[in-house]
Amino acid sequence: NIPSPPVMLYCKGDISLLKTNCFSVVGSRRASPKTLADCKKIAGELTLAFTVVSGVADGSDSAAVCGALDCGGKVICVLANGFDRVYPASAANLYRTVAGKGLLISEYPPDAVCKPYHFPVRNRIIAGLSRGVLVVAAAEKSGALITADYAADYGRDVFAFPYGIGSP
């Protein structure tokens, strides 16, 4: 239910999760260790009421997904590429785990490679699936803030928690 929905969604895993109450957790690839630990904890707690939605990038996204999975929660990961292309390569194990215990979705066909412009477009799906978005760390011009902007435009609540004092 967004102004520019994807024509098609490719799904791998438990598609019933698309009908659950979802909450997104997004953030920087370069978050501090403390922020990543807080992200994992909060994502784990969110799974008591929501399916956690994120990407699979290193840093905040993977911390959120792992935090939810570690607590036995459900997750949806939205990809900026097709299922046959793992990006980033370090996320190969996470792809397999989410496909088995949660849901991977993409608007791109299975063999589609990741392009830089896919990420901002993908972020509208993350925001659109969710009742709210938690930004755990974000630079001024970041994908996490693009997701937050989409969420605000869609009438979703946007949350953040304090980052380290003195950190940019």
Side-chain angles (χ1 to χ4, degrees):
N1 187 16
I2 59 175
S4 57
V7 174
M8 179 182 305
L9 283 177
Y10 296 86
C11 299
K12 192 174 202 176
D14 183 359
I15 62 170
S16 72
L17 294 178
L18 291 171
K19 295 181 180 179
T20 62
N21 289 323
C22 296
F23 202 96
S24 295
V25 181
V26 296
S28 173
R29 289 179 178 94
R30 295 182 198 92
S32 72
K34 166 110 173 66
T35 298
L36 295 177
D38 291 341
C39 179
K40 283 182 82 167
K41 181 178 185 225
I42 289 172
E45 292 172 3
L46 280 171
T47 64
L48 297 173
F50 297 99
T51 297
V52 171
V53 178
S54 195
V56 292
D58 294 331
S60 301
D61 289 2
S62 60
V65 173
C66 291
L69 289 170
D70 289 350
C71 290
K74 297 297 183 185
V75 297
I76 297 173
C77 290
V78 185
L79 307 178
N81 49 271
F83 301 132
D84 295 347
R85 310 287 182 156
V86 176
Y87 184 85
S90 60
N93 288 334
L94 195 56
Y95 268 56
R96 283 190 292 280
T97 302
V98 172
K101 295 182 177 182
L103 178 64
L104 295 172
I105 65 173
S106 176
E107 66 183 307
Y108 302 105
D111 63 345
V113 297
C114 188
K115 303 284 186 188
Y117 58 86
H118 288 176
F119 290 97
V121 175
R122 180 259 339 237
N123 293 349
R124 81 189 194 291
I125 298 171
I126 292 174
L129 287 171
S130 302
R131 291 185 168 221
V133 173
L134 171 64
V135 179
V136 298
E140 193 171 342
K141 293 184 179 185
S142 66
L145 292 186
I146 291 170
T147 306
D149 286 342
Y150 278 125
D153 289 347
Y154 300 160
R156 283 22 173 221
D157 291 323
V158 178
F159 301 87
F161 63 81
Y163 201 66
I165 294 172
S167 297

